[in-house]
Amino acid sequence: MCKVCLQDFSLSYQTPDMEVTAIAGVNLNIYEGEFISIIGPSGCGKSTLLSALSGLNKDGEGLIRIDGNVGYMPQQDCLFPWRTVMDNVLLGPELHGRYSPSDKAYATSLLEKYGLKDSASKYPRELSGGMRQRTALIRTLVYGADILLLDEAFSALDYQTRLKVVDDIYSIIRQEKKTALLVTHDISEAISVSDRVCVMRGQPGTITTNISINYPKDMSPSDRRQSPDFQQYFHLLKEELQYEQRN
Ligand SMILES: Nc1ncnc2c1ncn2[C@@H]1O[C@H](COP(=O)(O)OP(=O)(O)OP(=O)(O)O)[C@@H](O)[C@H]1O
Ligand SMILES: [Mg+2]
């Protein structure tokens, strides 16, 4: 089943002296349980695409169909520093005035399952970067999101932490059977998590190529990085990106 469907989708920004067409003619279908990444040069319209899918920007034209609840994880984890981990995780139901014992039970079970049980009453400043990212992801799950949009969600982390966090977040997304769209500058990261990588070019932004990445779903991002095919995917995507930047 198609969870996200964009057909001939465009979005322009109105600036004081001109209209900027950020993306144009974007076609994208994401199916249930798929993990898609988008790579492309800075300014090509990746965040614009996510802001349209998240509903934050409603100025787009063309067909946009979303079947499910969207959860958006920006680059910074956006946890509230004055709230504990548990209170951060329960923010969604609280804001919607439908806080129930079952929300708390679900939150508790996810915190326990993903190694944050002992941190439930801690504040974000007491957590590592990876723990904060996991808390932010659990918050979107408790909110009821089944389509996750991740915009450079790991780029604030140092390299070693990032590898570990990507493994953890990937495993949570797969275990909870979510559909995910990751924007990243990092070709290796895209290959390590995706079923498919979309390459974008800019001015105006559009998706030019889709490359299927064929690994078993239960293979971790770290194990993919060690596999013999990994370098081939890397070179293929690097060439695509360079081609788009030259033309
Ligand atoms: N609020 C805005 N008003 C006007 N123009 C904007 C606005 N936001 C983005 N743009 C323009 O739209 C284009 C796409 O921007 P966007 O932020 O989507 O790119 P990006 O691919 O996410 O870049 P990066 O990789 O640097 O995050 C750029 O030309 C940018 O200058
Ligand atoms: Mg961006």
Side-chain angles (χ1 to χ4, degrees):
M1 192 171 50
C2 200
K3 297 291 281 179
V4 173
C5 177
L6 287 175
Q7 267 172 29
D8 201 15
F9 187 80
S10 309
L11 196 152
S12 302
Y13 292 106
Q14 194 65 52
T15 66
D17 36 35
M18 61 190 281
E19 189 176 82
V20 179
T21 304
I23 51 178
V26 174
N27 293 302
L28 177 66
N29 285 337
I30 307 180
Y31 296 93
E32 188 164 12
E34 258 194 314
F35 202 133
I36 305 287
S37 291
I38 296 185
I39 57 173
S42 184
C44 75
K46 304 180 293 298
S47 296
T48 301
L49 188 57
L50 288 206
S51 68
L53 292 174
S54 71
L56 287 173
N57 190 325
K58 298 187 194 307
D59 295 337
E61 285 175 32
L63 178 82
I64 179 164
R65 213 173 52 225
I66 294 176
D67 178 21
N69 285 331
V70 171
Y72 178 47
M73 270 181 69
Q75 183 173 343
Q76 300 301 329
D77 55 45
C78 294
L79 298 176
F80 289 109
W82 59 88
R83 284 182 158 243
T84 63
V85 165
M86 179 61 90
D87 288 344
N88 263 291
V89 160
L90 287 170
L91 189 72
E94 202 180 308
L95 284 178
H96 285 80
R98 53 174 180 82
Y99 184 105
S100 69
S102 65
D103 289 320
K104 180 135 192 199
Y106 183 44
T108 305
S109 72
L110 288 175
L111 290 174
E112 186 168 350
K113 194 166 166 189
Y114 299 118
L116 288 163
K117 185 179 158 215
D118 296 336
S119 305
S121 55
K122 290 188 178 161
Y123 289 89
R125 64 173 178 277
E126 299 173 80
L127 306 180
S128 70
M131 291 162 98
R132 281 200 294 271
Q133 292 286 355
R134 267 181 285 151
T135 304
L137 179 60
I138 291 170
R139 180 170 64 183
T140 62
L141 299 180
V142 171
Y143 176 70
D146 57 349
I147 302 166
L148 302 167
L149 308 177
L150 307 132
D151 194 354
E152 304 272 352
F154 314 115
S155 59
L157 304 170
D158 68 81
Y159 183 70
Q160 288 303 330
T161 309
R162 186 170 174 152
L163 293 182
K164 171 83 175 73
V165 173
V166 170
D167 269 356
D168 289 347
I169 298 286
Y170 177 86
S171 135
I172 298 173
I173 288 174
R174 290 299 199 201
Q175 282 188 59
E176 303 298 322
K177 300 192 176 1
K178 303 296 175 185
T179 304
L181 178 59
L182 169 73
V183 159
T184 178
H185 279 116
D186 183 334
I187 299 177
S188 297
E189 187 170 279
I191 302 165
S192 75
V193 295
S194 307
D195 300 311
R196 187 152 48 98
V197 179
C198 302
V199 180
M200 267 183 95
R201 70 182 301 170
Q203 294 174 338
T206 198
I207 294 173
T208 52
T209 318
N210 269 279
I211 307 271
S212 288
I213 310 289
N214 298 309
Y215 288 113
K217 273 197 191 298
D218 58 358
M219 189 168 182
S220 74
S222 301
D223 287 344
R224 287 187 183 201
R225 285 175 185 266
Q226 307 300 324
S227 88
D229 303 348
F230 197 85
Q231 282 309 320
Q232 285 164 21
Y233 285 127
F234 185 89
H235 288 301
L236 182 62
L237 284 164
K238 199 170 148 205
E239 301 239 308
E240 289 290 344
L241 268 180
Q242 283 170 344
Y243 176 81
E244 296 305 348
Q245 274 160 351
R246 274 198 305 268
N247 292 278

